Amino acid sequence: MKNNDWKDRLGVMYSTNPDFQYNTGDEAEEDTILKEKQLLRISLDKRNRGGKAVTLVTGFRGTTDDLTALGKFLKVKCGVGGSAKDGEIIVQGDLRQKVLEILQKEGYVKSRII
């Protein structure tokens, strides 16, 4: 089915070119690489968080859906809150060692604490 939603094209001028393709600006995401090849870095961050410590997992290469799924998995295993966005997974609290152990059990063998 063709996506022909006019609301996405507000502000676009009419083109008489029959081969014209509207560019939505969406970029294709890269595929998620294997767990064994992921270079995940685990660190502690306190900046701009009101003095609260969070565990940051960076270096994930893949789709946002896979990043969100991994973030949810880590939050459930640690029993805390957090978020997954902009290529980072944020887990509330200083749980670097626990996150490292969980990732290594899941097959992310190249994970390390910074």
Side-chain angles (χ1 to χ4, degrees), residues 1-5:
M1 181 176 200
K2 186 176 178 182
N3 185 10
N4 198 13
D5 191 10

Side-chain angles (χ1 to χ4, degrees), residues 29 32 35 38 40 57 60 62-78 80 82-91 102-103 106 108:
E29 290 183 307
T32 304
K35 292 179 180 181
Q38 293 276 2
L40 299 179
V57 180
F60 184 83
T63 62
T64 55
D65 292 338
D66 292 337
L67 177 72
T68 306
L70 179 61
K72 182 174 182 177
F73 175 76
L74 288 175
K75 292 185 300 183
V76 167
K77 285 291 190 180
C78 293
V80 296
S83 66
K85 58 185 173 184
D86 300 331
E88 294 181 335
I89 299 171
I90 299 171
V91 179
I102 292 169
L103 287 173
E106 285 299 307
Y108 294 93

